[in-house]
Amino acid sequence: MVDDSTDETADEAAGGTAVRRRGRIVPRAPWVVALTVVALALVAAGAGLRGLVDRPPDADSVDAGFAYDMSAHHAQAVQMAMVEFRGGADMTQRSVAQDIALTQQREIGIMSAWLTSWHLPQVSTEPPMRWMHDSGHDTHSAETGHDAAHSGSTGSAVAGIPPDSSRMPGMATDTELTQLSRAQGRDLDVIFLTLMIRHHRGGITMAQQAAARAQESDVRALARAMVINQAVEIDQMQADLRALGAPPA
């Protein structure tokens, strides 16, 4: 009969870690233990790196700036769309307005949920559009020609954005919003389409920047969808203006 205790004593004297196999204590080589320790250390380090990579966007990020500013941009679109929905003469344009209001209000909700998940306030205290100013990119905003004439801007470091950053690209002025609210019939339809086309162009400018530079994949995906959807809507609204006998926007 083999004395297992003798083998175990010898294993312990050798200073190795042992495992039991078929009733015997078989020593485990020290290098196996060392490799195990290294592997565990690498796993822990990987978890730490994932924690850094997955850190949510902060208030100064492109993601947060886009969520704040596009929410405000969408809010004005919803406001204009509801004016048309309630008082427009053309049923097609009233339907378009309803779709815009519902879609952009839903997207406001999505962006609000992002801010909550990132532990950020729902309203920023920073001036709008700083995330685009800080990008170092020329945004090529649609706010040129007719838009610039209404913005009161005499120049900007970033194309199409007033130096005081008081307006986002494509946003209607207070005067234009008043004109829209007072219009009736066909005039209301034409003014709505004209303002909304410009508004969409400005939104596309903002969304293109977020699609290219945002940290979060969900932000980039929604921004790309906005670019595609609003470009399609612009084409349709231009066709609607022609059908109404109005000049293109």
Side-chain angles (χ1 to χ4, degrees):
M1 176 179 292
V2 178
D3 186 354
D4 289 344
S5 63
T6 301
D7 291 337
E8 184 175 356
T9 302
D11 294 336
E12 291 174 350
T17 302
V19 296
R20 184 177 298 276
R21 182 180 299 166
R22 294 185 180 178
R24 291 178 56 100
I25 302 296
V26 180
R28 177 179 291 167
W31 63 266
V32 175
V33 179
L35 284 178
T36 303
V37 172
V38 171
L40 291 174
L42 289 174
V43 170
L49 289 174
R50 284 195 300 274
L52 293 175
V53 172
D54 295 341
R55 182 178 298 168
D58 58 29
D60 294 329
S61 66
V62 169
D63 303 66
F66 173 73
Y68 286 130
D69 288 348
M70 189 57 83
S71 293
H73 202 269
H74 274 17
Q76 188 185 78
V78 172
Q79 176 187 357
M80 294 193 298
M82 292 309 297
V83 172
E84 169 65 21
F85 177 69
R86 294 187 184 111
D90 187 273
M91 290 300 297
T92 298
Q93 303 321 311
R94 291 176 66 182
S95 178
V96 168
Q98 182 183 37
D99 288 344
I100 290 173
L102 291 173
T103 298
Q104 299 212 2
Q105 190 61 54
R106 179 183 63 83
E107 291 174 350
I108 289 173
I110 291 171
M111 291 183 285
S112 175
W114 288 344
L115 293 170
T116 298
S117 69
W118 300 336
H119 307 291
L120 295 175
Q122 291 295 311
V123 179
S124 174
T125 59
E126 298 295 333
M129 302 307 296
R130 193 179 73 173
W131 62 281
M132 287 183 69
H133 276 292
D134 292 345
S135 70
H137 297 283
D138 183 353
T139 60
H140 297 290
S141 165
E143 189 175 356
T144 57
H146 178 72
D147 287 4
H150 289 277
S151 69
S153 172
T154 57
S156 173
V158 179
I161 304 177
D164 62 1
S165 295
S166 60
R167 290 179 59 229
M168 287 170 271
M171 293 281 275
T173 64
D174 290 342
T175 300
E176 289 167 335
L177 292 175
T178 299
Q179 182 186 17
L180 178 70
S181 66
R182 291 177 177 174
Q184 296 179 352
R186 175 186 174 278
D187 288 344
L188 174 55
D189 298 333
V190 171
I191 293 172
F192 165 72
L193 289 170
T194 301
L195 293 180
M196 191 59 73
I197 288 170
R198 193 180 75 209
H199 200 274
H200 273 14
R201 287 177 180 149
I204 288 173
T205 296
M206 296 165 65
Q208 286 172 331
Q209 284 291 311
R213 298 173 50 235
Q215 166 187 328
E216 296 291 306
S217 60
D218 287 349
V219 176
R220 296 193 302 271
L222 181 60
R224 287 193 296 268
M226 289 179 184
V227 171
I228 294 169
N229 293 339
Q230 293 191 23
V232 170
E233 290 178 356
I234 286 173
D235 289 343
Q236 183 58 56
M237 288 188 287
Q238 292 283 28
D240 291 343
L241 278 176
R242 290 194 297 270
L244 291 172

